[in-house]
Structures are given as C-alpha cells and as structure tokens.
Amino acid sequence: MKKNIKNLGIKFKRIFDFTVSFIALILLSPVIGVTSILIYFKIGSPVLFKQERPGLNGRLFKVYKFRTMTDERDEAGELLPDHVRLTVFGNFLRKISLDELPQLWNVLKGDMSFVGPRPLLVEYISLYNERQARRHEVRPGITGWAQVNGRNAISWEEKFELDIWYVDNQSFLLDFKILLVTVKKVFIKEGINEKGQATISKFQGNKID
C-alpha cells in the first residue's frame, strides 16, 4: 500500500514538474532572452554553462545554467580561482538566482525536479559513503531541503544529512513548503556563499577518525 502511494506521488510530482516548467519557460522567455543578451555583452560567449552531473540513480545528464564566470587562465593555462573569475554581473545573477533559470529545461526533460538534492560534481561520486550516495535515489532539484536550511553556508556533512532526510520524508506538502521558503531565501539573499569562498569549497571526502 505504502509503495503504491509512493509511486503515485512520484508520478504526480513528475506531472507537476513538467506542467509548471513548460508554463514557466513560456512566461519567463523574455527574462531568459534579456539575461542571455546581457551575459553575452558583459561576460562573453557562450552564454550557457553546461556540465555533466549525476542524477537519478547516478545517471549522468548535462545541467544548464547561465554563465557567471569568465574563462581567465594563468600562464600555465589553468583556470584562475572562482573568486577571480566571478564577475560583478555574474554575482548579481547568483544572488537573485537568475543563473538557475536554464535548469527549467532540465526539469522539463525529466533530468531534474523543482525540489530535490542539488546535482553535484561527477568527481564527488567516488567520495560518498554508502549513506551519502542515497541522495541519488531521487531526481536532483533546482532547490532542496539543504538549500532552505543553509545552502552554501553549512558544511558538506550537514548538507548531505539534510539531503538524506529529504529522500526519506519527501512529499508534495514538503515540496510546496520548500518552494515557498526558497522564494523567501532568494529575496533575502541568504546562504549564497560559504564564508571566504565565491560559492562553496569543494567536497574532499569523508574524514576518517
């Protein structure tokens, strides 16, 4: 019975994601268009940042975001640190979460959901312990339980625990609550950066005592 209810909830969530992302892409197309033009002239081409990320069951997909950094490199050809490449305009896009708008396409395609654990770097997969890897039991999201409870201002360990809590307690009402709180967080610009970082430091794996 519980399994049937859970499967029904997953199907309803997918219908909700598809419908809302489709409508949002249409309504926000002028914003997406203007933002694309501004990025082209202020930061450069390409306008979109594309990168492979692990999704549901660890399946790789290409995530889309608006570009916020330059491609500046040092004499050895290595990219400069994030805080150097992050432009003023790019930082503004991050603060109001406009850089996330292209992920509506990921939601429409079914790679992502509106709510779920954030899709992280492929290189992190081998660093997860068994419990942390459970974050891939659901579709990744544009926002999630960890994002409304600290976002980039909390530790990786705290973030993963919040992700697993969401996996075990997901429901439509919880998703609705997360979406509402996300809107509030965007307005007050809370938890965007880790202290001393342009965004957040890389996950280095789990400490062994």
Side-chain angles (χ1 to χ4, degrees), residues 13-22 24-25 61-64 100-115 118 139-143:
K13 182 174 182 175
R14 178 63 195 133
I15 293 172
F16 172 85
D17 285 340
F18 179 86
T19 304
V20 176
S21 61
F22 180 78
L25 280 168
F61 71 97
K62 193 163 288 185
V63 69
Y64 299 97
E100 309 281 1
L101 283 182
Q103 288 175 52
L104 288 170
W105 177 245
N106 287 121
V107 175
L108 185 71
K109 289 172 57 185
D111 297 326
M112 295 177 62
S113 176
F114 278 106
V115 179
R118 286 292 294 163
R139 280 189 178 88
I142 294 179
T143 186

Side-chain angles (χ1 to χ4, degrees), residues 48-63:
L48 292 179
F49 168 80
K50 296 177 283 186
Q51 189 177 60
E52 281 199 328
R53 299 286 176 92
L56 179 64
N57 299 320
R59 180 179 63 84
L60 298 184
F61 71 97
K62 193 163 288 185
V63 69

Side-chain angles (χ1 to χ4, degrees), residues 10-82:
I10 292 173
K11 289 181 181 179
F12 178 77
K13 182 174 182 175
R14 178 63 195 133
I15 293 172
F16 172 85
D17 285 340
F18 179 86
T19 304
V20 176
S21 61
F22 180 78
I23 295 173
L25 280 168
I26 294 174
L27 295 179
L28 295 173
S29 58
V31 177
I32 293 173
V34 171
T35 302
S36 299
I37 294 172
L38 289 173
I39 291 173
Y40 180 81
F41 285 104
K42 289 181 175 291
I43 302 177
S45 179
V47 169
L48 292 179
F49 168 80
K50 296 177 283 186
Q51 189 177 60
E52 281 199 328
R53 299 286 176 92
L56 179 64
N57 299 320
R59 180 179 63 84
L60 298 184
F61 71 97
K62 193 163 288 185
V63 69
Y64 299 97
K65 297 180 72 173
F66 275 131
R67 184 181 181 191
T68 58
M69 296 183 183
T70 66
D71 287 329
E72 294 177 87
R73 297 174 183 269
D74 59 24
E75 295 178 354
E78 297 293 327
L79 286 171
L80 294 176
D82 288 357

